[in-house]
Amino acid sequence: MLARVGLFFITLFHSVFAQQDPTTGSSSSTLVQLHVINRHGARTILSKDADDLAEEGGETLTPLGYRQLYDLGVWLRQTYGQSIGLQEYDQAMHRFESSDFDRTISSANALSVGLFPLASRTDLHGGVNGLFPDGVSPSIPVYSRQSENDVYIRSFSQCPTFYDRLQDLYESNQWIELENDEQVQVLLQKLAPIFAGDIEPLDGAIPLKSLWNAYDEIHVTRTECTSDTGNGTFGDNSSMAMFTGPESYACQSLPDPSLATVLSATEFEELEDLTEKTEAWKYGIETAGNLIGSNILWQILDRATSSGGKFFLYSAHVATILGILSALQANFEADTNERFVEYGSALILEVHQEQAISSAVDASTLEQKYIKLKYKSALQNTAVDITLQQFSEDVNAEPSPCGHDKLNADVSAPVSLDSSSFCRLQGVVNWARSNTLDTVEAWCDACGNDSADQCMEVILKNEGLVVRDGDSGESTVGESRTSNDSSAPSISDEATANRAVIAATFFGGFLSGLLFTAIAHWLWVRGHKKKQKPDGKIGSEMIQKGGTDELEKEAAATRVNSSDQEWA
């Protein structure tokens, strides 16, 4: 399967080394870092506004969702445990991050239990066995940002420019042609009466841009209300049988369990295919471009080029995964038995180091590292290789960082890395500098975001309100990156801007208050002195706009008093 798009094209295929250790590729490479970007587990129903992607519902995982992520953690431990040191939890080497949602944080927690069971928790005083009853293990920290400041995992929800592009998509010829397709209309018209109270129909059919809400409610119901869990993970003796099926609590707590059978198997396949196509259009190259994947891609690349950290988890969403692939100008196509990114599926980026080079040169040198991209479907127990290859019709263009028979011609020792799926990290970084938004500042400008803390930091910096001289940045966490040039000054962290805003607001307000008080006091003293003149007259300089009536009244009162004195 091959798709050629822009400067990169991507093909996904089952690894020919499925029966070998998938972490080494060959005896001459070593896995030094692992990044896992997972979709959260099965959840409750989630509806989205088609225009700005505002969400309602979908807050919590179901029991199936917890188990899906636990199983992913077990698979990661079995697959990578020995080769990258995942046998024991190390808080200095292993970092868990998540968007600020119940469903993603809970997914990260569930995955951590499968990845680091109680026996692996030697990080606390030599072990924690017996600390809690029944073999319960202490929680592993999961880091997240406030939703309005999450320009990495959920940048798709913080980018007004992306919303504008969605409107352009909905008004495009390809969208209108698809919506008016005869077969599509049959499906949309069938869905209209089913969701009559939730989705306003258009000419007897639900609008194509509202398809997600219909799909999600049916998909969630089918997932929870069928005895077959549908993810192929648990086997014939599934311990999940009591948690799924028509009589399960998860099913019965849904608004309408009958939606599980409202469509035939063929009709639901058509619905899934149509949803996959429209979501790919939304978050694909033509619409999303590099807007929603650049920041997290660069966060990963920054960490890959550093020497700190071995394992990074990003508990995320479908749009996050599609956004990364879009930023790489890649189509998402794979023979994984899933029509759409399933709950608990994951994008995996391995960072390898070539041993033949590292034995003679400093191991931290960027040129010695290579990356390999994989996709792990929740429906399968093996990962699929994603081969990225640079495409250019210019024969004089820089050689591709991917797919070389020999990745470094200067090395005399044979390089036995799998050339079809490895990419030189430096080459990918160079490509990304030219084809993605390689700084947070560039992203803020491209998205028109002036409200996230990171974008406010940029505004403050441009106004000269944040001192950013000689900050060396972070060793393992790249969220404060504003430039990928290590020599460029960088913002220290989100708290810097917060402190600057608070200080500017406080002192600015304080000084303004002092100035206002001083002016008011000066005016009062000045006016009081003039009213106390010996002859009782009011100085002409006190006559201002709107004050004529008051002055006349005071003069009249003076005249009355004089008359009374004369009578007396």
Side-chain angles (χ1 to χ4, degrees):
M1 181 183 305
L2 186 66
R4 192 177 94 185
V5 184
L7 297 177
F8 264 63
F9 65 87
I10 187 171
T11 179
L12 291 86
F13 53 91
H14 291 286
S15 173
V16 296
F17 300 107
Q19 302 303 318
Q20 302 177 15
D21 182 358
T23 66
T24 60
S26 73
S27 60
S28 63
S29 67
T30 301
L31 182 67
V32 295
Q33 201 175 80
L34 190 68
H35 299 263
V36 178
I37 309 97
N38 68 276
R39 186 188 182 190
H40 54 75
R43 50 153 175 76
T44 51
I45 293 170
L46 172 69
S47 62
K48 297 180 185 179
D49 185 284
D51 298 322
D52 62 7
L53 305 180
E55 298 179 359
E56 182 178 351
E59 297 93 346
T60 60
L61 294 186
T62 64
L64 174 60
Y66 282 100
R67 181 58 186 265
Q68 286 169 325
L69 270 297
Y70 170 83
D71 283 350
L72 178 58
V74 171
W75 181 87
L76 289 169
R77 181 175 178 83
Q78 292 173 346
T79 305
Y80 296 101
Q82 293 287 350
S83 60
I84 199 171
L86 295 181
Q87 294 300 316
E88 295 181 355
Y89 172 66
D90 183 347
Q91 59 182 358
M93 292 288 105
H94 308 140
R95 183 176 175 89
F96 289 70
E97 296 183 5
S98 171
S99 62
D100 190 25
F101 285 79
D102 183 291
R103 62 185 183 271
T104 47
I105 295 174
S106 296
S107 293
N109 284 328
L111 186 147
S112 72
V113 175
L115 180 58
F116 294 114
L118 182 61
S120 71
R121 298 301 307 276
T122 60
D123 55 302
L124 298 175
H125 306 290
V128 293
N129 195 14
L131 179 63
F132 298 142
D134 302 325
V136 175
S137 178
S139 298
I140 289 176
V142 177
Y143 299 90
S144 66
R145 300 174 181 82
Q146 291 179 323
S147 295
E148 59 269 24
N149 295 326
D150 189 355
V151 300
Y152 298 91
I153 293 177
R154 283 185 64 89
S155 59
F156 58 88
S157 66
Q158 305 299 325
C159 186
T161 301
F162 178 50
Y163 305 154
D164 293 340
R165 291 186 183 181
L166 286 178
Q167 297 306 313
D168 293 339
L169 173 65
Y170 300 150
E171 297 170 5
S172 67
N173 290 333
Q174 68 169 352
W175 188 273
I176 295 172
E177 289 175 3
L178 178 63
E179 187 166 26
N180 292 331
D181 179 83
E182 183 177 349
Q183 187 174 354
V184 170
Q185 274 295 307
V186 170
L187 179 60
L188 297 179
Q189 289 171 8
K190 176 157 189 173
L191 294 172
I194 299 173
F195 297 97
D198 301 317
I199 303 175
E200 185 175 352
L202 178 65
D203 296 328
I206 67 169
L208 184 60
K209 72 176 187 178
S210 300
L211 182 69
W212 168 267
N213 291 341
Y215 164 76
D216 189 73
E217 190 162 352
I218 293 176
H219 178 243
V220 168
T221 308
R222 288 175 66 94
T223 299
E224 301 298 334
C225 296
T226 55
S227 298
D228 179 9
T229 58
N231 73 356
T233 304
F234 309 119
D236 295 334
N237 298 319
S238 171
S239 61
M240 290 300 298
M242 69 180 70
F243 298 108
T244 59
E247 303 303 321
S248 67
Y249 176 81
C251 174
Q252 291 301 313
S253 63
L254 293 172
D256 185 4
S258 68
L259 287 178
T261 56
V262 73
L263 296 180
S264 67
T266 301
E267 289 171 332
F268 183 69
E269 282 187 12
E270 293 176 359
L271 176 59
E272 266 195 319
D273 288 340
L274 185 58
T275 302
E276 179 187 11
K277 175 177 287 189
T278 54
E279 293 299 294
W281 283 1
K282 292 179 187 177
Y283 301 106
I285 300 168
E286 297 298 326
T287 303
N290 56 22
L291 290 178
I292 64 177
S294 286
N295 284 343
I296 188 170
L297 175 62
W298 271 108
Q299 188 179 48
I300 293 170
L301 292 177
D302 285 345
R303 290 169 169 174
T305 58
S306 74
S307 58
K310 290 186 176 180
F311 175 81
F312 296 90
L313 177 79
Y314 311 83
S315 189
H317 310 264
V318 170
T320 313
I321 293 175
L322 296 182
I324 293 173
L325 294 174
S326 178
L328 289 171
Q329 298 186 7
N331 274 348
F332 176 72
E333 297 179 16
D335 182 16
T336 58
N337 295 333
E338 61 178 24
R339 283 182 164 77
F340 196 57
V341 181
E342 189 53 79
Y343 300 127
S345 294
L347 196 63
I348 300 172
L349 187 141
E350 303 172 353
V351 181
H352 292 254
Q353 195 162 344
E354 218 286 319
Q355 289 180 338
I357 304 176
S358 60
S359 63
V361 186
D362 179 11
S364 64
T365 303
L366 183 62
E367 288 286 346
Q368 299 170 0
K369 291 182 179 179
Y370 309 91
I371 65 171
K372 187 173 186 179
L373 198 60
K374 294 185 174 183
Y375 181 77
K376 167 65 174 67
S377 170
L379 304 181
Q380 294 181 334
N381 201 38
T382 57
V384 171
D385 287 348
I386 298 178
T387 300
L388 290 172
Q389 291 180 301
Q390 188 176 4
F391 173 78
S392 175
E393 296 180 356
D394 183 1
V395 295
N396 297 317
E398 181 181 350
S400 167
C402 309
H404 285 302
D405 292 331
K406 195 171 186 180
L407 291 171
N408 193 322
D410 296 329
V411 180
S412 58
V415 178
S416 53
L417 293 173
D418 179 12
S419 63
S420 64
S421 57
F422 277 86
C423 300
R424 222 170 9 95
L425 177 58
Q426 179 65 77
V428 175
V429 169
N430 291 342
W431 178 89
R433 282 200 179 108
S434 301
N435 295 278
T436 67
L437 302 170
D438 67 338
T439 66
V440 172
E441 183 173 358
W443 179 87
C444 294
D445 182 63
C447 280
N449 184 313
D450 58 3
S451 59
D453 281 356
Q454 296 89 338
C455 299
M456 291 180 65
E457 288 176 355
V458 172
I459 296 172
L460 290 172
K461 176 202 72 174
N462 292 337
E463 295 294 329
L465 299 178
V466 177
V467 178
R468 302 167 60 252
D469 186 18
D471 189 346
S472 60
E474 299 169 283
S475 60
T476 60
V477 182
E479 53 255 317
S480 62
R481 170 190 56 81
T482 56
S483 173
N484 295 308
D485 182 355
S486 60
S487 65
S490 61
I491 298 171
S492 59
D493 53 33
E494 294 177 8
T496 301
N498 292 338
R499 289 193 293 269
V501 170
I502 293 172
T505 302
F506 174 77
F507 287 110
F510 180 71
L511 292 175
S512 298
L514 286 178
L515 180 61
F516 177 79
T517 302
I519 293 173
H521 180 70
W522 177 77
L523 290 174
W524 180 84
V525 171
R526 191 161 176 255
H528 183 71
K529 287 182 178 180
K530 291 179 177 178
K531 287 183 179 182
Q532 298 299 321
K533 288 187 176 181
D535 58 1
K537 294 180 181 180
I538 300 175
S540 61
E541 67 271 18
M542 290 294 293
I543 301 176
Q544 303 292 336
K545 291 182 180 180
T548 304
D549 292 341
E550 287 76 5
L551 296 176
E552 289 178 349
K553 290 177 181 178
E554 188 170 349
T558 302
R559 289 194 296 270
V560 170
N561 290 336
S562 299
S563 300
D564 290 343
Q565 290 175 359
E566 291 176 356
W567 265 354

